[in-house]
Amino acid sequence: MTDGQPAPHVLRAFGVHDRALERLGGGRGLTWRAGDVVLRPSGDRLEARWRSATLARLDHTAGFRTPRPVAATSGDWVVDARAAAAAGDGDGAGTGTGVSTGDDGWEAWRWVDGRTDATRVGDVIAAGAAFHRAIAHLPRPDFLDDRDEPWSQADRAAWGGAALPDDPTLDRLAATFRPVTSPSQLVHGDLLGNVLFTPGEPPTVFDWAVYWRPAGLGAAIAAVDAVCWHGVAVGRLGVLGTGVPEWPQLLVRALAFRIATLHLLDAWDAEQTVRHRPVVDAVVQHAAGTLEAS
């Protein structure tokens, strides 16, 4: 294995050992395509197996679809990156099961043609809403209780489950927090860059970042991401949430989540403060009922 590629035994386990590997642009440079299969590090194996099993049987609608997961020859959804060594064959030719027992595994998904487009934030939000309706019946998975990376820490802080990082911008947002009564359910917390558009096909929702929050939060995160990073006009923040219950509060929580994450990643600095200031101003105004749409 070189340059972050999946090892030969991983490729064999997913039936793509005879196909050329192509590094894909997303996924922090760790995602690979082999023919009609996409391979990526699985992260936590419990979450990866749950997500694959869930999306393998999820019914698609006219409003969205998802890639389908690919099972390994063992029947598992995750293959251990270290299985070859455990089998006593350094080049991956051993006969180990390939079943992942840690976080350094690989998962596989069917390739779907299409392109992301962050400027189509309204269409992204619509696809996310269709996806959220389809998963609204699913129970909360236990693995959410054990996650402790920066994104999960920031999510808890934005919803009162932990202290926010000490920062004047976050203090300003927190001053506008009000109780949110919309019910929580499973949501996708990173929609904007994870919806593919293909002519003549429903949008494809992929790379599900799993959270347990009100359904509208996914739309709110997409909206603030579009305005902060992709040139969407700040005046659209209000209209992007048309019909979403408690939209002003969801925007506040979404922006607090994103800024807290940057703090926890040691990426919040003076430049980020300047970049986010117009969006913070707009979100605070919207929470006070004074934001004008444009």
Side-chain angles (χ1 to χ4, degrees):
M1 179 176 63
T2 61
D3 198 23
Q5 295 181 16
H9 78 276
V10 173
L11 301 177
R12 273 193 296 275
F14 287 118
V16 294
H17 55 283
D18 57 348
R19 305 177 197 177
L21 276 179
E22 173 192 356
R23 187 194 296 271
L24 299 178
R28 297 171 294 157
L30 301 175
T31 302
W32 299 81
R33 179 181 178 184
D36 64 347
V37 173
V38 174
L39 300 106
R40 51 174 285 171
S42 64
D44 177 75
R45 67 186 186 278
L46 293 178
E47 180 173 350
R49 287 176 175 130
W50 173 90
R51 181 170 44 238
S52 291
T54 299
L55 295 182
R57 59 179 180 265
L58 183 68
D59 290 333
H60 297 164
T61 72
F64 86 99
R65 57 179 177 165
T66 67
R68 295 300 190 186
V70 177
T73 53
S74 66
D76 197 1
W77 296 115
V78 180
V79 173
D80 195 333
R82 302 163 298 181
D89 190 329
D91 68 359
T95 58
T97 66
V99 174
S100 178
T101 57
D103 289 351
D104 57 342
W106 288 85
E107 61 184 4
W109 299 83
R110 290 296 172 196
W111 169 262
V112 177
D113 285 319
R115 292 184 178 275
T116 60
D117 187 346
T119 66
R120 294 180 61 176
V121 59
D123 294 329
V124 168
I125 288 173
F131 176 68
H132 290 150
R133 287 192 294 271
I135 62 174
H137 65 288
L138 296 174
R140 186 181 186 277
D142 291 340
F143 64 75
L144 290 175
D145 295 328
D146 300 321
R147 295 199 318 200
D148 200 37
E149 24 64 48
W151 292 268
S152 294
Q153 294 174 24
D155 170 69
R156 288 191 288 271
W159 289 88
L164 285 163
D166 186 12
D167 176 80
T169 300
L170 286 171
D171 291 344
R172 189 177 173 208
L173 290 170
T176 70
F177 286 179
R178 299 293 182 271
V180 175
T181 60
S182 297
S184 291
Q185 65 157 81
L186 288 165
V187 299
H188 193 317
D190 194 21
L191 281 167
L192 190 62
N194 291 310
V195 175
L196 292 172
F197 297 102
T198 308
E201 299 288 347
T204 302
V205 178
F206 67 104
D207 282 7
W208 184 6
V210 182
Y211 294 90
W212 184 261
R213 297 297 175 199
L217 182 65
I221 294 172
V224 299
D225 285 351
V227 173
C228 286
W229 297 100
H230 298 284
V232 173
V234 70
R236 292 190 62 196
L237 280 172
V239 298
L240 285 171
T242 299
V244 178
E246 301 180 278
W247 182 245
Q249 272 301 304
L250 295 180
L251 285 177
V252 171
R253 307 296 178 130
L255 190 54
F257 162 65
R258 284 305 199 203
I259 293 174
T261 301
L262 290 172
H263 269 279
L264 293 168
L265 293 171
D266 293 325
W268 184 257
D269 55 20
E271 180 181 347
Q272 294 294 344
T273 302
V274 171
R275 171 187 288 275
H276 285 77
R277 185 173 296 131
V279 189
V280 172
D281 291 343
V283 166
V284 169
Q285 292 171 21
H286 196 34
T290 60
L291 179 69
E292 294 183 0
S294 63

